[in-house]
Amino acid sequence: MSFDYQLSISKRRQSVAIKVTANGVKVFAPHGIDRQWLETWLKSKSSWVEDKKLAVSAQQQQIQSPFCHKEIQIFGERYQLVLSPCRSYIDHDAKCIGLKTRAQPGTEGARKALFKLLNQILLSYVKPVLAEYSVLMNSQYQELKIREYKRRWGSLSSNGTLALNSLLVGAPKWVIDYVVVHELAHCHVMAHNQAFWQIVARHYPRYQEAQAYLRQYGVGLQIEKP
C-alpha cells in the first residue's frame, strides 16, 4: 500500500468508502470483504487519497490556532489573545481578549473556556440585531441557542429554536446580520425556494455578498481542536 489507513469493518455496510481527515485516512468496509481485492482497490485510489491529503492540509493551515498564535478573529478583525489571571474580558478599543482558565493553553478545557467567552461576545451583538429584524420581518422564534457547528452557520427548528454557530463571532457584523435574516426568513418559508430568497433579499439586499464571504473565508473562522 502507498498510504497508511485505519480500517473499520461493519456488518451493516454494503460498500467500501474512504474518508481523509486531518487525523489520517479511514477506510470503511463491509464484513467478509476480500482483503486482497480491498488492497488492490485502495492502491488504485492512491492518487485520489494524496490529493485529498493536500486539500485537507491546506484547509488546516487556514484554521485559527489562537493558543499557538496568540490571536483570534472577532467581527472580521484580529484581536490579541492573552491569559487573564482575574477574569475573562474583551477590549474592543485595544483589540484584545483576556481569557481566564485553569486549563492548559491548547487543551480541550481551554478551548471550552474560549468558546464560552466567544458565545457571550456573539450573543451581546446578536440579541439587539435579532430584536430589530424580528419586528421588521414579523418573525417570531421561541429560543436562541449559540453553539459550534461543523457545517452550518445557523438553523431554525420546527419548534421555533433559532441556533447560530459560535464561529460567526469571527465574521464581520454585516455577515452575521445576513445569517440572522436568513434564519428569521425561515419563520415564513422553511424551504430554500424562490419565495424564501425574496424575503431574504427584501430585508437584506447584500445577501449574495455575505454568502460569498462565508464560502471564501468560512474555513478561516474555524478554531483548531486539540
Side-chain angles (χ1 to χ4, degrees):
M1 278 301 301
S2 58
F3 61 88
D4 295 326
Y5 64 90
Q6 179 183 347
L7 180 61
S8 176
I9 299 291
S10 172
K11 291 183 179 180
R12 290 183 291 181
R13 285 200 68 88
Q14 297 182 345
S15 60
V16 181
I18 305 174
K19 185 176 182 180
V20 181
T21 69
N23 297 320
V25 181
K26 292 184 178 180
V27 176
F28 303 90
H31 181 73
I33 192 168
D34 185 315
R35 294 299 181 94
Q36 185 174 353
W37 177 90
L38 180 62
E39 291 294 320
T40 301
W41 183 80
L42 289 174
K43 189 175 183 178
S44 71
K45 299 295 182 181
S46 296
S47 296
W48 179 86
V49 169
E50 290 305 315
D51 289 343
K52 289 292 289 184
K53 282 183 177 180
L54 290 173
V56 169
S57 177
Q59 185 182 65
Q60 283 295 109
Q61 291 176 19
Q62 297 179 52
I63 293 176
Q64 299 184 87
S65 300
F67 294 106
C68 178
H69 298 147
K70 302 294 188 297
E71 66 174 19
I72 190 169
Q73 188 163 307
I74 301 293
F75 300 140
E77 299 186 74
R78 308 306 297 182
Y79 278 56
Q80 181 185 8
L81 175 65
V82 299
L83 295 181
S84 171
C86 302
R87 61 182 178 85
S88 294
Y89 65 88
I90 181 166
D91 186 333
H92 292 292
D93 292 330
K95 298 291 189 293
C96 179
I97 280 185
L99 179 67
K100 180 184 179 182
T101 176
R102 294 180 180 179
Q104 289 295 317
T107 63
E108 183 61 29
R111 190 176 187 273
K112 286 183 178 179
L114 176 60
F115 267 84
K116 182 179 179 180
L117 176 58
L118 296 179
N119 288 351
Q120 292 172 352
I121 295 169
L122 181 59
L123 182 62
S124 66
Y125 174 73
V126 163
K127 285 183 72 174
V129 174
L130 268 170
E132 178 183 355
Y133 276 110
S134 293
V135 174
L136 289 173
M137 299 174 66
N138 192 26
S139 298
Q140 302 297 321
Y141 63 94
Q142 298 301 317
E143 182 184 12
L144 172 63
K145 289 186 177 180
I146 296 180
R147 53 162 293 185
E148 183 183 13
Y149 290 100
K150 258 189 176 181
R151 295 183 176 87
R152 57 183 177 180
W153 297 109
S155 66
L156 181 71
S157 69
S158 57
N159 64 6
T161 298
L162 194 156
L164 296 176
N165 193 328
S166 304
L167 299 174
L168 280 170
V169 73
K173 291 178 179 179
W174 59 271
V175 175
I176 300 173
D177 292 355
Y178 155 68
V179 177
V180 167
V181 170
H182 182 117
E183 299 312 327
L184 288 177
H186 280 308
C187 291
H188 302 282
V189 182
M190 290 302 291
H192 290 105
N193 56 22
Q194 184 177 2
F196 171 82
W197 291 114
Q198 285 177 346
I199 295 172
V200 174
R202 186 183 314 132
H203 295 281
Y204 201 84
R206 297 179 66 186
Y207 77 94
Q208 291 180 321
E209 188 179 346
Q211 288 177 325
Y213 178 95
L214 291 172
R215 283 194 299 269
Q216 185 172 356
Y217 302 109
V219 172
L221 301 181
Q222 296 180 30
I223 296 174
E224 185 179 50
K225 294 182 179 180

